[in-house]
Amino acid sequence: MAVTLHDVARLAGVSIKTVSNVINDYPHIRPATREKVELAITELGYTPNLTARSLRSGRTGAIALAVPDLALAYFAELAAAVIAAAEASGLVVLVEQTGADPERERELLRSPRLKMTDGLIFSPLGLGQEDIAALEVPYPLVLLGERMFDGPSDHVTMQNVEAARAATEHLIAAGRRRIAVIGSHEGEVIGSAGLRLRGYREALEAHGIAYDESIIGPSMAWHRESGARAMRELLARGVGFDAVFALNDTLALGAMRALLEAGRRVPDDVAVIGFDNIDEAQYTVPSLSTVDPGRAWIAETAVATLLERIAHPQSDVPPRLLLADFSVVARESTHAA
Amino acid sequence: MAVTLHDVARLAGVSIKTVSNVINDYPHIRPATREKVELAITELGYTPNLTARSLRSGRTGAIALAVPDLALAYFAELAAAVIAAAEASGLVVLVEQTGADPERERELLRSPRLKMTDGLIFSPLGLGQEDIAALEVPYPLVLLGERMFDGPSDHVTMQNVEAARAATEHLIAAGRRRIAVIGSHEGEVIGSAGLRLRGYREALEAHGIAYDESIIGPSMAWHRESGARAMRELLARGVGFDAVFALNDTLALGAMRALLEAGRRVPDDVAVIGFDNIDEAQYTVPSLSTVDPGRAWIAETAVATLLERIAHPQSDVPPRLLLADFSVVARESTHAA
DNA sequence: CTGAAAGCGCTAACAC
DNA sequence: GTGTTAGCGCTTTCAG
């Protein structure tokens, strides 16, 4: 069924090697030969069998991207950016969803399905410090979005602590003092939740504001639904607060919804800031202030770093930690009252 | 570097074929042999080379999914559903973004990169009726989301016309008569915009309401941004309307934003309904009424249909058109005034 | 500048 | 039940 190099070679009256040379732009081919071959290629509609090429060359031209869930806006936008960056380098992207399940994340790392790709860009959510050994994998790996110290692989990540601190300070600068948090993960140190909470605490401390556990709203899931729920719980506690730092934008949108339902005005009664700068943050009512963690740069850098590791698998370059610049994006939800 | 069947065979003291049999659960193997082989496999940490297996078997275990842009919520949620459905069948998904560019969509269909997959689930946006010939491809193909008549491939799609008609009738039932549209594509017949506008017109006609071009807001892009812009243009025209049918949810969210900025209350002054039922529609303020076009069913059916075609490439089953059930989801944005 | 031939790791006839 | 062997389609020394 499929037309192969042999078919082309036969029609062009040359050897299979010559056809291969033409396809791979080997420099020293007589123009007449090249033309003959190209004619045969178009006549037969030949397209190279990439699987065979992969087997031979050891390269697939594909990379894998593993994210918790594409239905989450942040990861969808991240995936869009990664795919675009990969395409610019002639790579194709295989997307996996882990559901943020530590078990599935560990499984993914040893999945033979990865043999179909040249490397992996992995945004773990469930893995902890104790899983660092599992990251010792026999293929190029770039981690995203979380900062695991002393891991064996390159990390491209955002400055969670510093950006969270800046977000909190943005609220403090607007005159807020009772700043609630939505989306904390109790006891977490190394994940995004832990790091962002740390930034929050640092900001409080720097401004002489006491940390008050009673306005910390935990929520394992970072969905709109859970943001709304966590906010309702916070309101039900009856403790006062004049601002909310939601640990991501989606939580913030859910929290805003719950605040409005409860008759609290944003930003007049409660200022709200999120984290991620997802597209929709600018179109909500009120528009959502947030931190832009440098998503586009992260995607491009992750692909570039992975490509480098793929090109030099035995390189002695130690694991790098690449940090994106961030910025606070002030919008309506934190306008001065 | 990599450990192969030969290595395992040597360690286990059997032939390569026996190892292959064990891996592929070939029934007739002596338990003792199986055990020996399995021991060798774990000892060496052997994982099969999927590229080699693909070359030999002609199957890759991967499918491709092509969507316009993952940053668009509808397609992100669709991709999430497709990947989940594929995984349930042991398939892995390669995601491509076309940017809704007809040129890139045509190119994609003949891309040799597809040789790395067993088939394609394709959500075209730029292709028109004239491109039907381009859909005659030498691999299994399932189209999504648009209804091209008499194409050569299976289609899994939503009932655009009927669902749009139902959305419009929902507004009419709420007492609205001046129903604007956001997101039309002038002159389009076969795309989602054309079909949904047709449903809108059918609903008007059925209720004796005249079609009025002056309240039709065109917008090629279906982003929040463009929805807001189209709505501002509509408002600037100074024509009156008491409802808006946005041709998708994202447009609707942008339009709501523009309405609120202009001091129009939703739903009191203007009722708004969208299309797609993306997750966030239920969390906006006010929550967005919309049409659920059956996304989950579409994703599962697309994967199942593609798998069938992959399993029976020469089947005589003619191209099928599979239509998802839809439902109107009434929320705050269309509550009776 | 072009041809012949080996082999990437695996599966599937076909022997034994 | 298990081993031998021939390729899947391609790239790549190595000759010529």
Side-chain angles (χ1 to χ4, degrees):
Chain A
M1 48 163 231
V3 21
T4 76
L5 276 188
H6 288 95
D7 303 321
V8 177
R10 199 176 318 128
L11 180 62
V14 299
S15 92
I16 168 181
K17 166 67 166 129
T18 305
V19 181
S20 175
N21 282 341
V22 170
I23 288 166
N24 297 295
D25 288 323
Y26 185 72
H28 310 299
I29 310 171
R30 215 180 310 160
T33 316
R34 147 163 285 133
E35 206 163 323
K36 245 189 337 192
V37 171
E38 276 168 350
L39 203 73
I41 287 177
T42 53
E43 178 153 345
L44 293 173
Y46 168 79
T47 58
N49 181 319
L50 296 189
T51 305
R53 184 178 284 179
S54 294
L55 177 59
R56 184 64 244 228
S57 67
R59 288 277 200 83
T60 65
I63 62 175
L65 170 69
V67 294
D69 185 353
L70 277 188
L72 303 178
Y74 176 76
F75 293 111
E77 294 177 19
L78 180 67
V82 167
I83 292 172
E87 211 216 302
S89 302
L91 294 172
V92 94
V93 181
L94 206 147
V95 181
E96 302 247 19
Q97 298 185 112
T98 62
D101 174 2
E103 200 41 61
R104 288 186 53 194
E105 293 189 343
R106 275 188 287 266
E107 194 184 309
L108 174 84
L109 286 169
R110 26 188 68 64
S111 163
R113 299 199 297 201
L114 289 176
K115 278 270 166 56
M116 278 170 38
T117 64
D118 297 332
L120 170 65
I121 298 177
F122 183 26
S123 177
L125 219 57
L127 294 186
Q129 191 80 284
E130 72 278 13
D131 294 302
I132 277 190
L135 296 175
E136 202 79 64
V137 292
Y139 49 81
L141 169 66
V142 171
L143 288 186
L144 286 189
E146 228 175 288
R147 191 163 160 180
M148 285 188 178
F149 300 94
D150 305 323
S153 46
D154 295 317
H155 285 52
V156 183
T157 181
M158 54 188 72
Q159 305 197 42
N160 275 304
V161 176
E162 297 78 1
R165 178 171 172 156
T168 310
E169 281 175 339
H170 173 70
L171 294 170
I172 295 173
R176 313 287 173 157
R177 286 297 175 275
R178 292 281 298 163
I179 304 173
V181 168
I182 290 281
S184 73
H185 293 174
E186 266 167 277
E188 185 184 286
V189 177
I190 201 167
S192 306
L195 296 170
R196 293 176 192 174
L197 190 67
R198 173 134 69 91
Y200 161 82
R201 296 187 67 159
E202 285 183 9
L204 293 191
E205 202 164 328
H207 292 266
I209 303 173
Y211 175 72
D212 179 359
E213 185 113 20
S214 75
I215 52 175
I216 304 299
S219 172
M220 283 311 289
W222 280 10
H223 300 167
R224 226 170 305 246
E225 178 68 40
S226 40
R229 187 164 26 74
M231 176 51 77
R232 285 188 204 107
E233 280 168 23
L234 221 49
L235 290 166
R237 288 187 201 167
V239 295
F241 53 88
D242 57 12
V244 175
F245 173 30
L247 298 187
N248 87 352
D249 285 350
T250 315
L251 286 166
L253 298 178
M256 281 217 288
R257 164 88 203 187
L259 282 167
L260 293 162
E261 278 171 0
R264 309 290 179 99
R265 290 168 307 162
V266 176
D268 311 70
D269 301 329
V270 180
V272 177
I273 193 163
F275 197 112
D276 280 348
N277 196 23
I278 61 177
D279 285 351
E280 63 187 294
Q282 62 188 304
Y283 293 105
T284 56
V285 178
S287 59
L288 179 67
S289 297
T290 185
V291 183
D292 184 336
R295 185 173 57 243
W297 185 90
I298 288 175
E300 287 159 17
T301 306
V303 171
T305 305
L306 190 64
L307 272 176
E308 224 172 278
R309 291 290 183 187
I310 290 169
H312 309 291
Q314 309 300 356
S315 134
D316 290 336
V317 180
R320 275 160 301 178
L321 178 59
L322 299 158
L323 293 173
D325 283 342
F326 65 91
S327 59
V328 172
V329 183
R331 298 207 182 95
E332 294 165 358
S333 68
T334 56
H335 270 184
Chain B
M1 48 162 233
V3 21
T4 76
L5 276 188
H6 288 94
D7 303 321
V8 177
R10 200 175 318 126
L11 179 62
V14 299
S15 94
I16 168 182
K17 167 63 167 132
T18 305
V19 181
S20 175
N21 282 343
V22 170
I23 289 166
N24 297 294
D25 288 325
Y26 184 71
H28 309 300
I29 310 170
R30 214 180 311 158
T33 317
R34 149 163 285 133
E35 206 163 322
K36 247 191 334 194
V37 171
E38 276 167 351
L39 202 74
I41 287 177
T42 52
E43 177 153 346
L44 293 172
Y46 168 79
T47 60
N49 181 320
L50 296 190
T51 306
R53 183 178 285 179
S54 294
L55 177 59
R56 186 63 245 230
S57 68
R59 288 277 199 82
T60 66
I63 62 174
L65 170 68
V67 294
D69 184 355
L70 275 189
L72 303 178
Y74 177 76
F75 293 111
E77 294 177 18
L78 181 66
V82 167
I83 292 172
E87 212 217 300
S89 303
L91 294 172
V92 94
V93 181
L94 206 147
V95 181
E96 302 248 17
Q97 298 185 114
T98 62
D101 174 1
E103 200 42 62
R104 287 185 53 194
E105 293 189 343
R106 275 187 286 266
E107 195 184 309
L108 173 84
L109 286 169
R110 24 188 70 62
S111 163
R113 298 199 296 200
L114 289 175
K115 278 269 167 57
M116 277 171 37
T117 64
D118 296 332
L120 170 66
I121 297 178
F122 183 26
S123 177
L125 219 57
L127 294 185
Q129 191 80 284
E130 71 277 13
D131 293 302
I132 277 190
L135 296 175
E136 201 80 63
V137 293
Y139 50 80
L141 169 66
V142 170
L143 288 185
L144 288 189
E146 228 174 287
R147 193 163 158 179
M148 287 186 175
F149 298 93
D150 304 323
S153 45
D154 296 317
H155 285 53
V156 182
T157 181
M158 53 188 71
Q159 305 196 43
N160 275 304
V161 176
E162 296 76 3
R165 179 171 172 156
T168 311
E169 282 176 337
H170 174 69
L171 294 170
I172 294 172
R176 312 290 174 156
R177 285 296 175 275
R178 294 280 298 163
I179 303 173
V181 168
I182 291 280
S184 72
H185 294 172
E186 265 166 278
E188 184 185 286
V189 176
I190 200 167
S192 306
L195 296 171
R196 292 176 192 174
L197 190 67
R198 175 135 68 91
Y200 162 81
R201 296 188 67 159
E202 285 182 9
L204 293 191
E205 202 164 327
H207 292 264
I209 303 172
Y211 175 72
D212 179 358
E213 185 111 24
S214 75
I215 51 175
I216 304 299
S219 172
M220 282 311 289
W222 280 10
H223 301 167
R224 228 171 304 245
E225 179 69 40
S226 41
R229 187 163 27 72
M231 176 51 77
R232 286 189 203 106
E233 278 168 24
L234 221 49
L235 290 166
R237 287 187 202 167
V239 294
F241 52 89
D242 57 12
V244 175
F245 173 30
L247 298 187
N248 85 354
D249 285 349
T250 316
L251 286 166
L253 298 178
M256 283 216 287
R257 164 87 203 187
L259 282 167
L260 293 162
E261 277 172 0
R264 308 289 179 103
R265 289 168 306 163
V266 176
D268 312 71
D269 301 329
V270 179
V272 177
I273 193 165
F275 197 113
D276 280 349
N277 195 24
I278 61 177
D279 284 352
E280 62 188 293
Q282 61 188 305
Y283 293 105
T284 56
V285 178
S287 57
L288 179 66
S289 297
T290 185
V291 182
D292 183 336
R295 185 172 57 244
W297 185 89
I298 289 175
E300 287 159 18
T301 306
V303 170
T305 305
L306 189 64
L307 272 176
E308 226 174 278
R309 291 291 183 188
I310 290 170
H312 308 291
Q314 308 302 355
S315 132
D316 290 335
V317 180
R320 274 159 302 178
L321 179 59
L322 298 158
L323 294 172
D325 282 342
F326 64 91
S327 60
V328 172
V329 182
R331 298 206 183 94
E332 292 167 359
S333 69
T334 57
H335 269 183

